Amino acid sequence: MAISKWKGAMSRRRLLASAWGAGALTVLGGIARPYLSRAADRPRITHGIQSGDISLDGGIVWARADRPSLMMVEAATTESFKDIIRVVSADARPETDFTAKVLLDRLPAGQDIFYRVRFHDIASPMIAGEPQVGRFRMASHATRDVSFVGSGDTAGGWGIDESRGGMRTYATMLGNRPDFFVHCGDNIYAECPLGPEQRLPDGAIWRNVVTEEKSRVAETLADYRGNYKYNLLDHNLRAFNAEVPTFAQWDDHEVTNDWWPGMPLRVGDADITALAARGCRAFHEFTPTRQVAAERGRIYRKIAYGPLLDVFMLDMRSYRGPNGDGRQESYGPAAHFLGPAQVAWLKRELGRSRATWKVISADLPIGVTSYDAAAQGDGPPLGRELEIADLLSFIKHAGVRNTVWITADMHYTAAHRYDPNRAVFQDFEPFWEFMSGPIHAGTGGPGVLDNTFGPRAVSQNACSKEQGDDLAPCFGLQFFGHVAIDGASEVMTVTLKDVADRALWSIELAP
């Protein structure tokens, strides 16, 4: 940026920040005037607002405009915004499809934070669009109650049918008033185009909202962006995003089904490397994720949510070896799953964690047999299982306590208990894995468990053989998990729920 342009941008920011601090008034010629608000001219928020990656130091706020503009975000501890404590800005530019996100830092720990987002015209900064208000709860240094929900798999095979209430699971999760939401991957289904109608088993018609970008397999960056914009057309999701921060990770469908780096695939003019780059860029543009300075586009990270909880977000896609028979007896590139750098990071951060509970959020389950997951069949650790065995053994011998895994991907919900006494590989401590999903996608049947790490399905809800796979969301088999940690006893209560908010199964875990 040229110096003159940089100075001009900074001048606009100072003027606008001053105006916001004065209670949404501008000062021109010594006279306080309200913002200009000509409806035909002012920038507009197009897809709601979001927050995410909330920790002890602050969090991310996201929005998208309909044109090049300047996003201004105010933060306050009261809904009236009489006590504005932070004002931050960011540019919404064509190169990011007019998305913008800011880090609201230096916020008081433990507080409910209200934030207000408004876009200002670049050429005429006094012209401002209508604001939208969201909220989130800051992590606390105190041992207070904490709750969150977790699930995955949004808009897979079935789109938004407004006559059936849209993506209703988001409304149900919002009704639980969680502190945050962990999206365990498959935020979109880039290779699953939607037509206007789909026939249900009973002969009824499911009618999708349709858009141009969602009508074809994603190939261009605009297509990938369009998949996220499609989901954000849903009123349930927009209402949820304004009230509940999201911790987002990805899996395969953010790029294409079962992908891995180097996969022999070409869609139009793009090979898998180009598709993955476009998918990753769109993921970061449209989710409220923090950027990791050590690696551009990195998704794995730790989110510290106070003395009771650290959340470890994994990436089981970007560093893996090829999908295959998974029978490698020794560890090498063909057996990579998380990859050496991510495994080393996870061990280091788990060892450093002083939180009571360490929740490991994985985009794929450990013990459900699947072509592109870790489990490839009964027996000793082979292939991708070698990394999992090494990690579980480390957790045991390093004395890392109270690890719980959450995951999605399989389109049904289950509670898996891993026990070395049932396992072929036995050098680990028992642990739980809770699998939930889909949020809004076709429901699948129960998977086959691999005995390598001794999993047992203590509870599961899925399609029956008679119902068949890919059952539409209107049949009620959409699932999420609810986790509540008691601030006094530090007991974690995990409840598996469905779209009707029915508790299907629950357990209390003492630390």
Side-chain angles (χ1 to χ4, degrees):
M1 180 184 290
I3 292 176
S4 60
K5 292 182 179 179
W6 180 84
K7 287 183 177 178
M10 291 304 294
S11 296
R12 288 197 301 273
R13 284 175 170 81
R14 283 195 291 268
L15 178 59
L16 292 170
S18 173
W20 281 64
L25 295 176
T26 60
V27 180
L28 299 175
I31 302 173
R33 304 177 187 273
Y35 276 114
L36 298 179
S37 185
R38 299 195 300 271
D41 297 334
R42 60 191 180 185
R44 182 172 59 88
I45 296 172
T46 61
H47 292 83
I49 56 178
Q50 302 182 64
S51 65
D53 284 13
I54 306 301
S55 190
L56 290 167
D57 64 340
I60 297 294
V61 169
W62 174 99
R64 181 181 182 273
D66 63 346
R67 68 190 75 178
S69 50
L70 180 68
M71 181 173 79
M72 297 290 294
V73 182
E74 298 174 293
T77 57
T78 59
E79 198 167 5
S80 66
F81 287 89
K82 292 182 179 179
D83 62 335
I84 295 172
I85 55 177
R86 291 284 281 135
V87 181
V88 186
S89 67
D91 290 325
R93 298 177 179 271
E95 52 264 38
T96 62
D97 197 23
F98 310 128
T99 62
K101 52 186 177 181
V102 298
L103 173 63
L104 278 176
D105 58 358
R106 303 197 304 276
L107 299 177
Q111 288 285 326
D112 286 340
I113 300 296
F114 298 87
Y115 63 92
R116 183 161 56 190
V117 181
R118 191 195 313 253
F119 284 99
H120 293 256
D121 188 86
I122 289 290
S124 302
M126 293 305 103
I127 297 177
E130 291 297 322
Q132 290 190 21
V133 175
R135 66 185 297 171
F136 56 81
R137 193 184 194 196
M138 284 288 292
S140 175
H141 293 288
T143 53
R144 68 171 190 204
D145 294 352
V146 175
S147 71
F148 66 92
V149 290
S151 189
D153 318 314
T154 301
W158 302 89
I160 302 167
D161 186 336
E162 293 180 336
S163 69
R164 299 177 186 272
M167 297 183 182
R168 295 185 296 121
T169 308
Y170 282 105
T172 305
M173 292 193 297
L174 177 57
N176 283 259
R177 307 310 305 180
D179 292 319
F180 58 88
F181 165 53
V182 181
H183 199 306
C184 296
D186 293 339
N187 295 262
I188 62 169
Y189 282 71
E191 80 290 356
C192 295
L194 294 173
E197 294 184 349
Q198 294 169 260
R199 187 169 296 277
L200 299 171
D202 61 3
I205 299 298
W206 178 281
R207 291 181 171 82
N208 292 312
V209 172
V210 293
T211 64
E212 180 182 352
E213 292 90 347
K214 192 57 187 167
S215 68
R216 55 181 177 262
V217 172
E219 172 187 349
T220 66
L221 179 57
D223 292 338
Y224 282 103
R225 290 165 167 169
N227 273 259
Y228 290 93
K229 286 187 277 192
Y230 180 85
N231 290 355
L232 290 168
L233 294 175
D234 181 72
H235 67 279
N236 302 298
L237 177 53
R238 292 196 309 274
F240 181 85
N241 285 343
E243 295 286 328
V244 181
T246 294
F247 300 177
Q249 65 194 128
W250 76 348
D251 191 30
D252 55 336
H253 293 289
E254 284 84 358
V255 178
T256 194
N257 187 44
D258 292 348
W259 78 277
W260 74 84
M263 179 181 181
L265 173 73
R266 178 168 288 276
V267 177
D269 70 342
D271 62 11
I272 192 61
T273 301
L275 293 174
R278 293 167 187 174
C280 185
R281 178 171 174 176
F283 171 84
H284 283 291
E285 287 176 343
F286 280 86
T287 58
T289 51
R290 298 195 190 209
Q291 296 297 317
V292 179
E295 180 185 349
R296 183 176 178 84
R298 198 176 95 178
I299 291 169
Y300 69 86
R301 62 203 186 277
K302 176 186 128 180
I303 301 173
Y305 205 81
L308 293 182
L309 179 63
D310 281 341
V311 182
F312 301 85
M313 310 289 291
L314 302 187
D315 179 357
M316 293 175 163
R317 285 290 156 190
S318 302
Y319 313 100
R320 62 164 53 205
N323 290 339
D325 62 11
R327 311 306 290 175
Q328 295 85 10
E329 295 183 359
S330 60
Y331 185 64
H336 287 176
F337 192 29
L338 300 172
Q342 188 177 182
V343 169
W345 165 84
L346 182 56
K347 288 179 178 179
R348 181 175 65 251
E349 294 301 326
L350 284 170
R352 290 175 176 173
S353 175
R354 295 297 174 263
T356 303
W357 293 99
K358 295 89 175 167
V359 169
I360 301 172
S361 180
D363 39 301
L364 290 163
I366 295 172
V368 181
T369 303
S370 175
Y371 168 71
D372 71 326
Q376 299 295 296
D378 290 347
L382 296 172
R384 299 189 188 109
E385 294 171 332
L386 295 170
E387 273 189 359
I388 302 299
D390 174 61
L391 179 59
L392 296 180
S393 180
F394 166 83
I395 290 172
K396 172 184 176 179
H397 293 288
V400 178
R401 303 302 181 200
N402 306 320
T403 58
V404 171
W405 293 65
I406 62 173
T407 188
D409 183 69
M410 296 297 171
H411 293 225
Y412 70 98
T413 188
H416 297 144
R417 178 63 170 171
Y418 290 79
D419 188 339
N421 294 321
R422 297 171 46 88
V424 176
F425 176 82
Q426 298 184 318
D427 189 22
F428 68 96
E429 297 287 351
F431 67 96
W432 286 93
E433 174 188 67
F434 301 105
M435 185 172 72
S436 290
I439 299 170
H440 188 85
T443 314
V448 176
L449 296 180
D450 178 340
N451 72 2
T452 303
F453 304 111
R456 177 172 65 95
V458 179
S459 172
Q460 63 182 24
N461 285 77
C463 287
S464 66
K465 289 183 179 180
E466 293 73 26
Q467 290 172 316
D469 285 347
D470 198 28
L471 200 64
C474 58
F475 290 95
L477 296 176
Q478 308 291 290
F479 306 107
F480 66 96
H482 180 272
V483 180
I485 305 174
D486 183 76
S489 68
E490 302 187 354
V491 167
M492 173 185 283
T493 302
V494 181
T495 306
L496 304 182
K497 292 190 168 190
D498 67 9
V499 63
D501 206 31
R502 292 180 297 183
L504 307 173
W505 179 86
S506 186
I507 190 171
E508 291 184 358
L509 304 177

